[in-house]
């Protein structure tokens, strides 16, 4: 633990403290919105609660990124911070309407397509790093890690394919199959580790 969190320079401490203040602020806003959503029974306030909770996670991830010495972990926390922030802001985004209150999908198509592609990026990155990680693990675990990495890559491709507007049932079915395969692989990995460690 000491070897991981030791970059306590004045800059990193200052950055961490600012991020923690932001984390507390967003968390308190989320808590307040949650209370109001219960009192008013407002669905929109419930969504806003989740959005600000995601933004608080973004701040917390960035706080860890500022003080973790290991470059790979620090970078991962930084990327996670941006991911949480993007999710938080995206869920707060108002939907644009065309004339007559109907969706102006044709005007927004390029923008919506970009969103779909960007949403797929974390999964594609997870698949890439998963394949890279699999090279450094023992041979028995290697196949399972490759399988898990492949499921993330496949999920990213399924999400990216949403730009072609396929039927929602096909996307849902694809995601269910991918998640089922990954869950099975994770359980196989867990059983392997339990057997090797002599039980939980």
């Amino acid at each position: 633990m000491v070897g991981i969190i030791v970059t306590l320079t004045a800059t990193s401490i200052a950055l961490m403290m600012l991020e923690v203040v932001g984390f507390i602020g967003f968390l308190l806003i989320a808590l307040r919105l949650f209370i109001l959503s219960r009192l008013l029974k407002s669905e929109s306030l419930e969504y806003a609660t989740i959005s600000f909770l995601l933004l608080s996670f973004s701040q917390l991830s960035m706080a860890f990124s500022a003080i973790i010495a290991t470059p790979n972990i620090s970078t991962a926390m930084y990327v996670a911070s941006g991911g949480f922030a993007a999710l938080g802001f995206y869920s707060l985004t108002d939907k644009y309407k065309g004339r007559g209150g109907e969706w102006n999908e044709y005007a927004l198509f390029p923008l919506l397509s970009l969103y779909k592609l960007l949403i797929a990026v974390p999964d594609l990155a997870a698949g890439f790093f998963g394949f890279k990680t699999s090279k450094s693990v023992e041979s028995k675990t290697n196949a399972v890690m490759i399988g898990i990495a492949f499921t993330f890559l496949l999920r990213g491709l399924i999400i990216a394919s949403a730009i072609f507007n396929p039927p929602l049932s096909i996307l849902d079915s694809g995601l269910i199959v991918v998640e089922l395969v990954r869950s099975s692989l994770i359980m196989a990995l867990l059983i392997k580790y339990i057997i090797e460690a002599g039980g939980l």
Side-chain angles (χ1 to χ4, degrees):
M1 193 70 173
V2 177
I4 296 178
I5 308 178
V6 259
T7 326
L8 299 179
T9 64
T11 303
S12 63
I13 291 173
L15 188 57
M16 182 201 68
M17 290 176 67
L18 290 171
E19 298 297 341
V20 169
V21 169
F23 163 70
I24 293 170
F26 278 140
L27 193 62
L28 291 176
I29 292 171
L31 180 61
R32 181 62 180 162
L33 287 172
F34 176 74
I35 293 169
L36 287 173
S37 70
R38 292 295 155 192
L39 288 173
L40 302 175
K41 295 181 179 174
S42 169
E43 189 175 342
S44 62
L45 285 177
E46 287 179 6
Y47 286 128
T49 300
I50 295 170
S51 296
F52 278 99
L53 196 57
L54 288 167
L55 290 171
S56 72
F57 289 158
S58 170
Q59 295 291 130
L60 189 60
S61 296
M62 189 60 195
F64 281 118
S65 175
I67 61 168
I68 291 177
T70 308
N72 289 352
I73 298 176
S74 178
T75 302
M77 296 305 292
Y78 175 80
V79 173
S81 173
F84 280 128
L87 288 171
F89 284 123
Y90 179 73
S91 52
L92 280 174
T93 304
D94 289 326
K95 296 185 166 102
Y96 297 96
K97 294 183 179 180
R99 282 189 244 173
E102 297 179 359
W103 295 104
N104 193 354
E105 291 181 3
Y106 296 105
L108 285 175
F109 183 74
L111 183 61
L112 293 174
S113 297
L114 180 61
Y115 270 134
K116 292 168 185 175
L117 287 175
L118 289 176
I119 290 169
V121 168
D123 280 328
L124 297 174
F128 171 77
F129 287 119
F131 284 124
K132 192 173 180 181
T133 301
S134 66
K135 297 176 182 177
S136 61
V137 298
E138 60 173 312
S139 57
K140 290 182 181 178
T141 309
N142 184 274
V144 178
M145 290 298 291
I146 288 175
I148 292 172
F150 181 73
T151 60
F152 278 106
L153 186 63
L154 194 56
R155 186 172 74 178
L157 292 174
I158 290 171
I159 294 299
S161 72
I163 63 172
F164 301 112
N165 293 320
L168 192 58
S169 58
I170 293 177
L171 289 177
D172 288 343
S173 301
L175 290 174
I176 288 170
V177 170
V178 168
E179 296 302 329
L180 179 62
V181 171
R182 186 185 309 116
S183 298
S184 302
L185 290 170
I186 291 169
M187 291 309 297
L189 194 61
L190 174 63
I191 291 169
K192 178 183 181 298
Y193 282 134
I194 289 175
I195 292 172
E196 288 182 353
L200 285 173

